[in-house]
Amino acid sequence: MHNPNTLPCAGGIVFDADGRLLVIRRGREPGLGRWSVPGGRCRVGESAEDACLRELREETGLAVAVERLAGTVERDAPDGGLYRIDDFFCRVVGGTLRAGDDAADAAWVGRAELMALPLVPGLVDALAEWDALPR
């Protein structure tokens, strides 16, 4: 059953030529100070794919192309709502990496670096399920 408090969101899973994963450190809640893949809420009338492209550009300075859906997760939102996050595999098509919008930092990380970071809850499990952990 559809929860009326479900907020559609989108995220991007992006790898560089060395197999490192693009991550951002969240500059605001939820997950303030924790690392995650870039993403955010869909605007009214905006598709998840378009939200993914916009959020990646805003948070990382990178232009990406959506390749395919990696998977969908649901996470608790403030006030009893629910974030429904469609995460997409993407590839970089332009731009220069820099943290922007609500991202406090942005980086390419390998698997060991990823595991050492304070991550948002559930990120590693979702990436592992989708065969999307960095090398």
Side-chain angles (χ1 to χ4, degrees):
M1 185 165 156
H2 179 72
N3 178 341
N5 295 323
T6 299
L7 303 166
C9 303
I13 298 170
V14 186
F15 294 96
D16 70 3
D18 296 321
R20 297 178 302 170
L21 178 68
L22 177 62
V23 292
I24 56 104
R25 186 163 49 88
R26 297 199 43 84
R28 56 176 84 138
E29 293 293 352
L32 175 66
R34 292 184 175 269
W35 292 81
S36 185
V37 294
R41 282 199 214 173
C42 300
R43 294 179 176 158
V44 174
E46 183 180 45
S47 71
E49 291 90 343
D50 286 345
C52 177
L53 299 175
R54 177 180 50 76
E55 288 286 345
L56 264 285
R57 190 172 50 253
E58 290 174 358
E59 292 186 346
T60 71
L62 297 175
V64 300
V66 169
E67 296 188 323
R68 65 183 170 86
L69 181 68
T72 301
V73 294
E74 292 185 341
R75 299 287 182 252
D76 290 332
D79 306 324
L82 195 66
Y83 292 123
R84 183 183 186 280
I85 309 162
D86 290 325
D87 283 308
F88 296 91
F89 286 112
C90 302
R91 63 183 163 79
V92 176
V93 295
T96 302
L97 182 63
R98 55 131 188 90
D101 193 34
D102 63 349
D105 199 359
W108 296 103
V109 297
R111 188 173 300 203
E113 294 166 289
L114 179 72
M115 299 306 186
L117 293 172
L119 303 171
V120 295
L123 180 63
V124 170
D125 291 340
L127 292 175
E129 181 182 331
W130 304 331
D131 194 26
L133 285 169
R135 290 188 202 143

